[in-house]
Amino acid sequence: MVQLLTKERTRARAAAKDLRGELPLGRILDGDCIEAMRSLPSASVDMIFADPPYNLQLGGDLSRPDGSHVDAVTDHWDQFDSFAAYDAFSRAWLTEARRVLKPSGSLWVIGSYHNIFRLGAMLQDMGFWILNDIVWRKANPMPNFKGTRFTNAHETLIWCSTGEKAKYTFNYRAMKTLNDELQMRSDWVLPICGGQERLKKEGHKVHPTQKPEALLYRVMLATTNKGDVVLDPFFGTGTTGAVARRLGREWIGCERESLYRDAALERIELALPLDESAITTMQSPKAAPKVAFGTLVETGWIAPGAQLFDKKRRLQAHVRADGSLLSGTESGSIHGVGAKLQGAPSCNGWTFWHIEHEGAFKPIDALRQLYLLATED
């Protein structure tokens, strides 16, 4: 039985490598995204990030109080004759997205109140399993100029797997580390794209709805691994490609507008990949190699006699040569001493105890992760 499972896994890996050779990695496919995706082999992509037309249905221009025009509300690519036409378009590209996703892959879709509820219903009807809806709360939203509604200060992302029982990637530990050792919540406060990141040509925005790289960075870090293939059917000016290159992921884009394609290629070319150690992210406890606290003492990452503190520096302990801690009359492991001092039934000593290291106050788990990076094959 074990040999059979091993052979099946080997065949699956070989098939994945074969499909990878058929993929147009690092390329932007010209033309309609539905036709472009049809050229890709089935079950070949690890993650899809889709920023489709929002179908704003505003029925006219929108101007600021100074008379300047608000971009995106009249762009031809966002115009549909009816909800039925928009729904037909959405089902068509989602059908291709489902086909090219690996069974273990996941799909992200971003939208506003104009379209996200229609897309969410379609996703469920098509057998996708919604894992989270993420609220991207904009730190600097555009105000409501007419004063007739609440300011639209957020957009919604839907993250889903290919089915209820499907396995998928979620780098929980990386997200917790990114969020100062707190669980990452489903409301993300990030600014809209601006400053030097905003692509402009002759003083005008190249793309009216360019997404901030910070948003794609979090999405990609959370739900892909190094070397994974990320597809963006609505590539625009290449935010997905630029972030993928920095994080060591492969990318494929679909974009029918030549202006956007040219800007994206130029932008991605300038995106410098992070070095190997920076790309390696925190692993989940189940996947991480086991490291004893004593190993950090033995290898000099934490010296005997070093002082450890809780986050608020109210409790402290000394490290002994055997990797145990001493605090007053209490002694034992990093977990046991932490629990006793708090009067708690248990304690995760890796995140409870902190240490001064290279001018920063950090949990000892940070040193464990540095040790893992340093000793990685």
Side-chain angles (χ1 to χ4, degrees):
M1 183 65 178
V2 174
Q3 288 181 336
L4 181 60
L5 289 172
T6 302
K7 288 180 180 178
E8 288 178 354
R9 292 192 188 103
T10 302
R11 281 197 294 268
R13 283 194 291 268
K17 288 181 180 178
D18 291 340
L19 287 177
R20 198 180 184 87
E22 299 175 29
L23 292 173
L25 301 178
R27 284 179 50 199
I28 306 175
L29 305 180
D30 187 5
D32 177 77
C33 70
I34 299 166
E35 291 300 321
M37 282 193 284
R38 284 175 182 159
S39 69
L40 302 177
S42 299
S44 60
V45 170
D46 296 289
M47 191 266 274
I48 295 175
F49 180 85
D51 183 9
Y54 286 10
N55 192 28
L56 295 177
Q57 298 279 340
L58 294 181
D61 289 348
L62 180 62
S63 300
R64 298 181 179 88
D66 63 3
S68 60
H69 179 258
V70 176
D71 295 323
V73 299
T74 56
D75 286 302
H76 66 89
W77 45 260
D78 192 56
Q79 294 177 349
F80 295 85
D81 293 335
S82 63
F83 284 127
Y86 183 78
D87 291 349
F89 166 75
S90 299
R91 287 192 191 94
W93 75 258
L94 282 171
T95 297
E96 285 306 308
R98 185 169 181 81
R99 182 185 64 81
V100 301
L101 265 180
K102 294 177 181 178
S104 59
S106 62
L107 170 70
W108 287 82
V109 183
I110 186 171
S112 66
Y113 69 88
H114 303 89
N115 70 328
I116 199 65
F117 302 109
R118 307 185 77 84
L119 293 174
M122 287 180 208
L123 288 167
Q124 291 180 316
D125 289 343
M126 296 173 71
F128 286 98
W129 189 258
I130 296 178
L131 300 166
N132 276 116
D133 64 327
I134 303 292
V135 174
W136 167 31
R137 187 156 66 87
K138 302 173 183 178
N140 51 342
M142 184 174 66
N144 184 270
F145 297 116
K146 293 183 178 180
T148 56
R149 302 184 186 183
F150 296 107
T151 297
N152 293 324
H154 78 277
E155 292 183 28
T156 301
L157 297 95
I158 296 176
W159 173 42
C160 51
S161 64
T162 56
E164 182 180 2
K165 304 297 184 183
K167 294 183 179 180
Y168 55 89
T169 295
F170 179 51
N171 296 316
Y172 168 82
R173 187 75 192 121
M175 289 296 96
K176 192 172 181 182
T177 303
L178 193 67
N179 199 38
D180 289 337
E181 291 303 315
L182 298 174
Q183 285 191 343
M184 184 70 76
R185 293 161 42 120
S186 62
D187 53 337
W188 299 354
V189 181
L190 297 167
I192 61 175
C193 186
Q196 293 184 342
E197 186 183 332
R198 168 67 76 174
L199 300 186
K200 292 186 177 182
K201 187 174 183 179
E202 298 177 356
H204 299 285
K205 296 175 184 175
V206 175
H207 195 292
T209 61
Q210 180 182 334
K211 294 299 183 287
E213 291 191 6
L215 183 68
L216 270 297
Y217 185 97
R218 189 173 295 185
V219 164
M220 224 171 284
L221 198 66
T223 58
T224 65
N225 295 310
K226 182 177 180 292
D228 280 356
V229 178
V230 178
L231 169 67
D232 187 334
F234 307 94
F235 202 60
T237 51
T239 302
T240 299
V243 175
R245 186 162 192 249
R246 287 201 177 98
L247 290 177
R249 278 64 166 165
E250 301 286 357
W251 62 269
I252 303 169
C254 306
E255 179 53 57
R256 67 184 187 184
E257 304 291 334
S258 60
L259 173 65
Y260 299 161
R261 289 197 305 273
D262 293 343
L265 289 172
E266 182 178 348
R267 173 188 187 183
I268 295 168
E269 184 65 29
L270 296 174
L272 298 176
L274 298 175
D275 63 51
E276 192 74 21
S277 62
I279 289 173
T280 303
T281 58
M282 300 294 189
Q283 297 172 291
S284 69
K286 289 183 180 179
K290 297 294 183 183
V291 177
F293 179 70
T295 301
L296 300 187
V297 178
E298 288 177 326
T299 54
W301 285 88
I302 295 179
Q307 283 190 307
L308 303 184
F309 304 87
D310 71 315
K311 190 173 183 179
K312 295 183 178 180
R313 297 180 185 265
R314 293 174 180 171
L315 302 172
Q316 69 179 63
H318 288 84
V319 179
R320 299 198 290 192
D322 61 357
S324 64
L325 300 189
L326 177 64
S327 179
T329 59
E330 300 291 352
S331 63
S333 70
I334 56 173
H335 313 295
V337 172
K340 289 177 182 177
L341 293 180
Q342 297 177 88
S346 62
C347 170
N348 182 350
W350 289 109
T351 55
F352 176 75
W353 293 110
H354 289 59
I355 192 171
E356 294 284 351
H357 179 256
E358 296 182 347
F361 189 58
K362 59 185 71 173
I364 57 174
D365 188 48
L367 274 68
R368 175 171 62 163
Q369 300 302 329
L370 290 173
Y371 168 81
L372 288 170
L373 289 175
T375 56
E376 193 177 52
D377 290 337

